[in-house]
Each structure stands twice: as C-alpha cells, then as structure tokens.
C-alpha cells in the first residue's frame, strides 16, 4: 500500500467515525445542545481557523463533517493526501469535543486533554525568548521504555515543551520522568485523537499571537510552518489512522520521525530507528538550535524545571519563607577585586553533622553574586539579580520564590540524595551569569552565607543600603527624566506586527521587560530586540505621542502600525502580542475600565472572559477601548493618563486587586489625594453583574462616576 493509500485509509476511517459520533450525539442531546471546549474563546479552534465558522451547537457539526469529507479526494497525489490529513485533524477535533459533552473525559486519565487558552498565553514568553526552543510531540508505544524515558528527559533538559499521547505516558512515568505543566512534559491522553490538542495549540498560537483572520487556512499553515517550532516522534508500529494524523502534522509544517520503516518524504516523513539519535535527528529536522551550558552539578539544570514546586513531604532543606532570613544580592565589583569562578560557602553546609536526624534542614541564607566587566553598569545589578530567581528554579529539585530580602528557597530530598549541596547553587548562578550575560560579565564569584550573625550583619551593613539606593534611583526614573525609550520586538517571532515601546513608567505588557531590562539587553545584544528610540520633543505629551516613536514602530512593524500613543486606551493604543498579563477594557455604564488578569477564568462585568477579551486585543492589532498590559503598569501614574488615569479603574479580580493594592493606593493618593483607593474598586467577590457593580461604585462614591465621559 502506497503512502497516499495509507493516508486516505486513515482519513476515511476517521471521517466515518466522526459522522457516526455526530449523528449519535444529535440523537441523544438534540441539535440545539451546546458543544465546545473549556476555557477557550475560539469555539472548535481548528474548524474556526480553517473556515471562520463558529461551532456552537451540535446542529452546526454536520456541515463541518461535509467540509471534512470534501478534503478527502482519494487522488494519488501527495498534496491532496496531506489535505486528507487535515481532514483527519478536523474529525479528531469533533470527536474530542463530543467526548466533552458529558463533562471532562480526562478527569480519570493521566492525560489533560484540551489545553486551555490561558496555558497557551502563559507559554508565550518562554517560547519567544527561546527558553522553550521547540515543541516535541511523542506518540505511540515504545519497544524500549528506557530509551523512551532518556529521549523525554533529554528534551526536558534542553528546555523543549513535550506533549505525549498513547501508552508512552505510562512507560515514561514508570521510568521516573517528571510530568505536568510545571515540568513542560504534558501527557494529553491515550486515544490517538488526543493528539489533536497539540494541533489546537499550534492553531490557537496563530489566532492568539499572529492575529490571522479566521477562514484563511493557507495563512495558518504558513504560520505554523514558519513560527511554531514543532515536530512529531512516533514509537512502534503505525496504523492507517496514525499515518493520516502524521499527514496532518506534515501539512502544518511539522516533520514526522518514526522509529520504524516508513515511506520516506525528505524533510517531512523520516525514519530514525536508533533511539540514541532520535533527539539530535529531530532537532536538525526542524532546524531547532539549542544553547546548552554544561554545569558541573549532580542534577539537571534546564528551564523545563522552572515551574517545579517543592512540597513539605519532599523537602530536605529550606531557607527563608518566614522560617529564617534569606536575601540575595548582585553587586558590581572591579575586575581586580574578585576571582572568577570562586564559589564559597561561609558557614554550615546542608550535610553538616549538626543536622543529622533533622526532619528538615533550615538555615539562614545570604547569596552574594559579585560581577565585574568592562561593560558592566550599576543599573544592570538589579537586572542580573532578578535572574537569580529563574536560574535557581532551573535546578531540578529546587524552588525559588520572592526576591531581595524576602527570598525563599527549598531543596528536595531527591536532589540531596543525588549529591546536590548549597555550593551547587553557586555553580549554577556562576555558569548562567557568565553564559547569559557574557557581554557585560567578565568575572563572577559567588559567596553563600549561612551563619545567622553574618546574614544579619551583612543585611544591615551592605544589602539594605544598596536596595535603598536602587529604589531611590528607580523612583527618580520617569518618562520625562530620560532621553531614550526602547523597543522590544521579542514577540515578533509569533506576532509579526507587534512592537512594545518600553519606558521607565511603562514596562512590557508581558510583565517581564522593564526599561532597565531593555537598556541591558541592548548592551548584551546590540542588534537584538531592544533598540533605542531617541524620543525628542513630544507631539502631544498628554496622550503620549512622539514622532520618533511612530517612525520606529512603523519601521519595526513593517508598516503594519503607523501611529501609537503610550498613555491612551482610545486613540491608537499600543498593540499587544497575546502574552499580556492583563487586559483593560472600557465599561461605559461605569464611566471607567475593568481590568482582567490571565488567571481569572470567569465572566467580567463587560460580559466577556479574559479569553474573549484577548481574542479582540492580541495579534499585533490596535483595538481602541482595549489594551493589553503588565500587572506592574496598574500602579503607574502614566496608566491611561490621557483618559483620566488610575481612578478610572472600577473593577478587578480580587487576586489581582490584592496583588497591586500597595502600589495602586500609593500612586492614586499622590495623584488625587484619595486614600485607600483600592477599597473603592469592585471585584468578583462583591459583584460581576454590571448593575450590581454600579450600585457598589455609587455606594463607595467612586470618582469615575463624576469624571468627564470616557467616550
């Protein structure tokens, strides 16, 4: 049987199953019954993207089945056969959606099934920064479980996002592979149709970040091929359905690498039977470049472990967390003052004899990272210091929370048993500082203090005074006090027309890029994503218009965006890629705005969820009345100052409100004299219905109600 015959056999089989499943569902539930996936604003995403049709009820599905069947021509042509592979994807999407009619079909499964919009958005930043350099999709059952586990762990150590379908899930679990979103190894399910949830991720990346108009299938296929760095590894014998699924992957631009003989298509469908070569072969097939820093520590170190949480029952040692003192500091030094790669622990190590028999080792900890370099600047200290959080979390078996002198670190029993000690934190910090900041760091030494007397003395004599000087410097940084803004175009790998303009008072909308970060990035990578904008005189300082900004944005967006304001939500607001932390949108009846953060899944007072708001706001488009932004921007005096500023905020989810309360109260008081402004802001624990929100605002005398009309 030829390759095309295999594809058509699988596609026709799936088409028959899909048609039968649709007919059975309609007979059981009726045509008017709602159908869809949880936590998405994109209906059945693949059908929506390919056709523009919004599938909402079971009665909408027969027409979709008709489209599916029309793609299966059975012609002896590879291009036509790949279209049949796309038909298989549509069929799988429908079958999986029908499985959700009776609740979550994955509730008792090792897999998670459908990947919600907020998860995709949360992955946006690490994907565009390269912390996640690629996406591996593993499917089937391996003849060699140990080799399979080694492949998964290799992808994990290289930082890839790995999805798994089939019995390989149990095989990997039994071999000790750590799974879950925290480890970037995500089991989807055991049925082959579960693989559609990866396709859905790729398609929604185009919708969320790319701003591609639904119905333009060719543009979606170009996007996934050029901008979603994914590939497929299959394990074990291939049946017709798996071959057809593979054809759909190839149509998306994802090469398929099997471990059994297949009819090869160069660059698209290939065999690599030697499992020891699978990883290297797959990365080369998708042209994924991996930057690996070999660190001499007894555990793995990779961004894939960044989300790991160390629970009490797995914890061996703890520093900070209100149990002991824990601070961290990056400090500039002269080249002559420090010894490169000197790692010192001053005080007891975690294997000190005094801890024998202890349930948990608890120590105070002070982490001093001293860096020197010809291009190093004091302003970069805080930028490098924030990286301590990420670098420590890259350690398999470590958890880092907080910053400055409220840091909190935990280490697992497993890491300790493998030989991990405090000094190895120093080794990781040294290696990453030297590798990631090589343009400004020529020497680095790390000292870890664990004697309480040293930790307390240095905190008072050195650490707090440095923090205070930095805060004084940062507080003095305003948009007016600098001559230069910066672009950030990192997200253009996913959103080609989006350009962030980063200023001292407006950080990047992802929440991860400050003005100082951009300044440092320019030094580290002169031709990189952060380029200076010599701002010159403002055309309109109130709404934030600079001719230099407009020219730079127009050039950086290839003409897609010609004008942008920095302080207005109504007039040419800044574009968004899709990985924003929050969305601000006008609530006309309250004469103000609501802010919804990515983690909030319920309906907001404007009648839309975060995902629905985001579907109007991302993709590098300008949507007057809506704006993506970071959490930190909520406390900025420049927050939509053109429309009256912070006192326009009328509603936020409680978690977000509590998180920003201190900064927001301080800024609102300095601007208006209103004390405890946050108490006037409604949240979901009070009301989400617009009328009830208005009643609350009126009872509190919210200032937005008496301001000039916002529209």
């Amino acid at each position: 049987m030829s390759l095309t015959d295999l594809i058509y056999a699988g596609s026709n089989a799936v088409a028959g199953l899909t048609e039968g499943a649709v007919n059975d569902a309609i007979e059981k539930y009726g045509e008017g019954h709602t159908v869809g996936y949880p936590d998405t604003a994109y209906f059945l995403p693949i059908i929506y993207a390919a056709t523009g049709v919004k599938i909402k009820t079971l009665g909408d599905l027969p027409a979709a089945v008709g489209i599916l069947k029309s793609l299966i021509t059975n012609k002896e042509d590879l291009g036509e056969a790949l279209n049949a592979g796309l038909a298989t994807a549509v069929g799988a999407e429908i079958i999986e959606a029908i499985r959700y009619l009776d609740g979550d079909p994955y509730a008792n499964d090792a897999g998670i099934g459908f990947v919600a919009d907020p998860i995709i958005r949360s992955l946006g930043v690490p994907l565009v920064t390269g912390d996640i350099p690629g996406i591996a999709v593993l499917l089937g059952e391996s003849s060699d479980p140990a080799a399979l586990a080694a492949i998964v762990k290799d992808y994990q150590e290289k930082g890839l996002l790995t999805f798994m379908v089939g019995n390989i899930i149990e095989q990997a679990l039994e071999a000790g592979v750590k799974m879950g979103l925290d480890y970037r190894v995500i089991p989807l399910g055991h049925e082959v149709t579960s693989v559609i949830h990866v396709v859905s991720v790729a398609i929604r990346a185009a919708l969320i970040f790319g701003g591609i108009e639904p119905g333009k299938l060719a543009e979606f296929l170009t996007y996934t091929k050029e901008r979603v760095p994914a590939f497929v590894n299959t394990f074990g014998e291939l049946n017709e359905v798996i071959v057809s699924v593979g054809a759909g992957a190839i149509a998306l631009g994802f090469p398929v690498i099997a471990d059994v003989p297949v009819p090869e298509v160069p660059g698209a469908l290939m065999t690599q039977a030697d499992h020891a070569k699978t990883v290297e072969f797959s990365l080369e097939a998708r042209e994924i470049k991996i930057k690996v820093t070999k660190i001499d520590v007894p555990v793995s170190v990779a961004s894939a472990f960044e989300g790991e949480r160390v629970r009490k029952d797995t914890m061996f040692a703890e520093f900070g967390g209100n149990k002991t003192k824990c601070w961290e500091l990056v400090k500039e030094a002269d080249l002559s003052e420090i010894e490169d790669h000197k790692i010192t622990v001053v005080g007891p190590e975690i294997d000190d004899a005094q801890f024998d028999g202890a349930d948990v080792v608890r120590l105070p900890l002070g982490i001093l990272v001293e860096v020197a370099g010809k291009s190093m600047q004091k302003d970069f200290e805080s930028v490098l210091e924030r990286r301590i959080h990420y670098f420590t979390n890259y350690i398999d078996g470590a958890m880092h929370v907080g910053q400055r002198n409220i840091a909190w670190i935990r280490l697992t029993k497993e890491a300790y048993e493998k030989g991990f000690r405090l000094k190895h934190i120093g080794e990781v910090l040294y290696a990453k500082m030297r590798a990631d900041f090589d343009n400004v760091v020529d020497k680095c030494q790390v000292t870890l203090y664990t004697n309480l007397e040293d930790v307390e003395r240095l905190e008072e004599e050195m650490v707090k005074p440095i923090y205070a000087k930095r805060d004084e410097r940062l507080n003095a940084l305003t948009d007016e006090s600098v001559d230069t803004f910066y672009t950030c175009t990192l997200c253009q790998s996913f959103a080609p027309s989006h350009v962030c303009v980063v200023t001292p008072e407006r950080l990047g909308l992802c929440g991860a890029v400050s003005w100082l970060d951009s300044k440092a990035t320019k030094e580290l990578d002169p031709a990189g994503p952060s380029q200076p904008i010599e701002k010159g005189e403002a055309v309109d300082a109130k709404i934030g218009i600079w001719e230099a900004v407009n020219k730079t944005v127009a050039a950086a967006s290839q003409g897609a965006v010609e004008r942008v304001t920095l302080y207005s939500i109504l007039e040419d607001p800044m574009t968004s890629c899709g990985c924003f932390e929050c969305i601000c949108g006008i609530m006309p009846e309250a004469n103000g705005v609501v802010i919804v953060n990515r983690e909030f899944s319920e309906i907001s007072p404007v009648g839309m969820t975060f995902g629905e708001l985001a579907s109007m706001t991302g993709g590098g488009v300008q949507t007057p009345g809506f704006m993506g932004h970071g959490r930190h921007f909520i406390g900025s005096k420049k927050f939509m100052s053109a429309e009256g500023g912070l006192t326009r905020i009328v509603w936020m989810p409680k978690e977000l409100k509590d998180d920003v309360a201190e900064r927001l109260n301080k800024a609102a008081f300095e601007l208006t004299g209103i004390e405890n402004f946050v108490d006037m802001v409604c949240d979901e624990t009070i009301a989400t219905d617009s009328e009830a929100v208005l009643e609350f605002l009126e009872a509190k005398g919210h200032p937005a109600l008496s301001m000039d009309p916002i529209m």
Side-chain angles (χ1 to χ4, degrees):
M1 189 178 285
S2 69
L3 176 60
T4 54
D5 288 339
L6 282 169
I7 294 171
Y8 285 128
S11 300
N12 282 307
V14 172
L17 289 171
T18 305
E19 189 168 34
V22 169
N23 291 337
D24 290 346
I26 290 175
E27 182 177 348
K28 181 177 180 180
Y29 297 101
E31 291 188 348
H33 195 282
T34 300
V35 64
Y37 290 113
D39 288 332
T40 182
Y42 301 102
F43 311 96
L44 299 197
I46 297 168
I47 296 172
Y48 179 54
T51 67
V53 174
K54 301 175 180 179
I55 302 293
K56 297 181 179 179
T57 66
L58 289 174
D60 297 328
L61 287 177
V65 173
I67 294 172
L68 177 164
K69 294 167 75 174
S70 72
L71 291 171
I72 308 172
T73 64
N74 295 304
K75 294 179 181 178
E76 191 63 32
D77 176 86
L78 184 57
E80 295 276 343
L82 294 181
N83 284 337
L86 292 175
T88 300
V90 171
E93 178 172 64
I94 293 171
I95 290 171
E96 285 289 302
I98 288 173
R99 292 183 65 200
Y100 275 88
L101 290 174
D102 291 321
D104 183 3
Y106 293 91
N108 299 311
D109 194 297
I112 68 167
F114 185 77
V115 181
D117 289 357
I119 294 177
I120 298 175
R121 293 182 188 279
S122 72
L123 295 170
V125 173
L127 279 165
V128 301
T129 60
D131 279 348
I132 298 177
I135 300 171
V137 183
L138 277 56
L139 172 67
E141 182 172 3
S142 178
S143 60
D144 187 348
L148 166 74
I151 289 169
V152 179
K153 289 178 180 178
D154 200 351
Y155 286 143
Q156 196 173 42
E157 289 179 6
K158 287 179 168 60
L160 274 76
L161 179 63
T162 303
F163 291 98
M164 304 184 75
V165 175
N167 290 335
I168 55 172
I169 294 172
E170 274 69 34
Q171 289 182 311
L173 283 169
E174 289 170 6
V177 173
K178 295 178 179 179
M179 290 191 192
L181 185 61
D182 288 350
Y183 298 101
R184 295 183 185 164
V185 176
I186 303 176
L188 291 176
H190 292 82
E191 299 296 328
V192 69
T193 50
S194 299
V195 78
I196 200 59
H197 300 309
V198 182
V199 179
S200 177
V201 168
I203 290 297
R204 277 180 289 151
L207 286 163
I208 290 169
F209 304 113
I212 298 176
E213 185 179 337
K216 296 184 176 180
L217 177 59
E219 292 186 21
F220 279 96
L221 297 181
T222 298
Y223 184 97
T224 55
K225 180 178 182 179
E226 295 180 354
R227 299 184 181 276
V228 181
F231 59 86
V232 180
N233 292 148
T234 67
F235 296 87
E237 294 302 317
L238 306 180
N239 59 37
E240 292 91 342
V241 172
I242 293 176
V243 171
S244 185
V245 166
I250 292 169
L252 291 165
F254 307 158
V256 177
I257 298 94
D259 68 349
V260 296
V262 294
E264 295 208 15
V265 179
L269 178 61
M270 296 158 282
T271 296
Q272 178 49 263
D274 186 348
H275 289 139
K277 298 178 180 178
T278 297
V279 172
E280 181 181 1
F281 189 91
S282 301
L283 295 175
E284 288 178 356
R286 195 63 173 101
E287 298 182 352
I288 295 171
K289 308 295 183 185
I290 303 293
K291 181 182 178 182
V292 177
T293 303
K294 186 62 180 174
I295 305 174
D296 187 19
V297 296
V299 298
S300 298
V301 179
S303 61
F305 300 105
E306 187 181 344
E308 181 180 7
R309 291 292 173 264
V310 177
R311 311 296 180 190
K312 288 182 179 180
D313 58 336
T314 65
M315 178 174 61
F316 178 84
E318 183 175 37
F319 317 89
N322 294 322
K323 301 291 195 306
T324 64
K325 281 188 173 292
C326 185
W327 53 257
E328 55 198 24
L329 182 74
V330 170
K331 183 174 177 287
E332 183 188 19
D334 289 333
L335 284 164
S336 61
E337 292 177 345
I338 63 175
E339 178 184 336
D340 190 44
H341 202 175
K342 181 181 180 182
I343 313 294
T344 309
V345 177
V346 179
E349 252 284 7
I350 56 176
D351 58 356
D352 193 280
Q354 66 174 292
F355 303 122
D356 288 350
D359 291 336
V360 176
V361 173
R362 287 193 172 91
L363 280 168
L365 181 62
I367 301 175
L368 175 61
V369 180
E370 295 172 280
V371 294
K374 294 178 181 177
S375 300
M376 183 62 193
Q377 300 176 26
K378 274 231 174 282
D379 277 349
F380 298 163
E381 286 181 343
S382 59
V383 176
L384 273 61
E385 191 172 289
R386 281 200 301 277
R387 299 303 294 176
I388 292 176
H389 169 76
Y390 296 99
F391 297 158
T392 307
N393 275 324
Y394 289 174
I395 300 167
D396 182 11
M399 180 187 80
H400 183 289
V401 178
Q403 59 181 324
R404 286 193 166 189
N405 58 346
I406 55 169
W408 179 21
I409 298 172
R410 283 180 168 181
L411 302 176
T412 63
K413 297 172 185 175
E414 181 183 1
Y416 177 79
E417 289 164 0
K418 289 180 178 179
F420 192 85
R421 301 294 182 264
L422 266 179
K423 64 180 180 181
H424 293 122
I425 293 179
E427 290 287 354
V428 171
L429 296 181
Y430 167 80
K432 296 299 289 180
M433 290 291 177
R434 292 288 271 117
D436 289 18
F437 298 100
D438 58 332
N439 280 20
V440 297
V441 177
D442 299 326
K443 284 185 176 182
C444 175
Q445 74 176 25
V446 182
T447 309
L448 300 103
Y449 298 92
T450 59
N451 283 320
L452 180 59
E453 181 182 337
D454 292 332
V455 173
E456 290 181 335
R457 175 178 55 81
L458 290 170
E459 182 182 26
E460 296 302 320
E461 294 177 1
M462 177 181 65
V463 176
K464 286 183 177 179
I466 289 176
Y467 291 162
K469 285 182 180 178
R470 284 186 194 162
D471 290 342
E472 185 179 348
R473 161 80 169 132
L474 287 171
N475 290 336
L477 283 175
T478 65
D479 290 1
E480 291 78 18
S481 70
V482 299
D483 298 323
T484 305
F485 296 157
Y486 288 91
T487 62
C488 181
T489 55
L490 268 174
C491 291
Q492 284 195 346
S493 56
F494 281 98
S497 61
H498 169 60
V499 182
C500 258
V501 179
V502 182
T503 79
E505 295 182 81
R506 179 172 187 158
L507 80 173
L509 55 85
C510 65
V513 181
S514 71
W515 184 83
L516 287 177
D517 292 321
S518 295
K519 183 182 178 185
T521 299
K522 171 62 178 172
E523 293 286 336
L524 294 166
D525 185 3
S530 290
Q531 293 300 313
I533 305 171
E534 301 298 331
K535 65 180 190 180
E537 290 296 319
V539 175
D540 190 326
K542 180 182 178 183
I543 63 176
I545 299 177
W546 281 267
E547 189 61 36
V549 170
N550 286 336
K551 286 182 179 179
T552 302
V553 169
S557 68
Q558 293 81 48
V561 180
E562 295 182 348
R563 285 170 47 84
V564 65
T565 64
L566 301 187
Y567 310 140
S568 176
I569 194 176
L570 287 171
E571 184 176 340
D572 300 320
M574 198 167 78
T575 58
S576 300
C577 57
C579 53
F580 33 68
E581 293 184 302
C582 306
I583 298 174
C584 175
I586 290 177
M587 183 179 176
E589 62 268 45
N591 201 34
V593 297
V594 305
I595 301 175
V596 187
N597 56 301
R598 184 168 57 213
E599 296 79 7
F600 187 74
S601 60
E602 300 172 31
I603 295 176
S604 69
V606 296
M608 290 182 278
T609 63
F610 179 90
E612 290 165 337
L613 287 166
S615 68
M616 303 163 51
T617 313
V621 299
Q622 290 176 305
T623 310
F626 297 90
M627 175 178 69
H629 58 86
R631 286 180 176 234
H632 193 267
F633 191 43
I634 297 171
S636 168
K637 295 176 183 178
K638 291 297 194 292
F639 182 85
M640 53 176 290
S641 56
E643 284 80 39
L646 297 171
T647 49
R648 288 284 190 184
I649 301 170
V650 298
W651 188 93
M652 283 188 285
K654 190 172 190 311
E655 182 273 324
L656 177 63
K657 189 169 79 169
D658 291 345
D659 184 45
V660 302
E662 184 177 348
R663 291 187 70 251
L664 180 52
N665 277 335
K666 183 175 184 293
F669 178 76
E670 291 175 359
L671 286 169
T672 66
I674 297 174
E675 294 186 352
N676 299 317
F677 169 68
V678 168
D679 293 343
M680 296 180 169
V681 178
C682 193
D683 62 57
E684 81 281 8
T685 68
I686 301 166
T688 54
D689 175 78
S690 60
E691 289 186 8
V693 171
L694 275 174
E695 288 179 8
F696 172 83
L697 299 177
E698 288 168 354
K700 289 289 185 179
H702 195 290
L705 300 177
S706 58
M707 295 171 75
D708 292 338
I710 194 169
M711 297 177 68

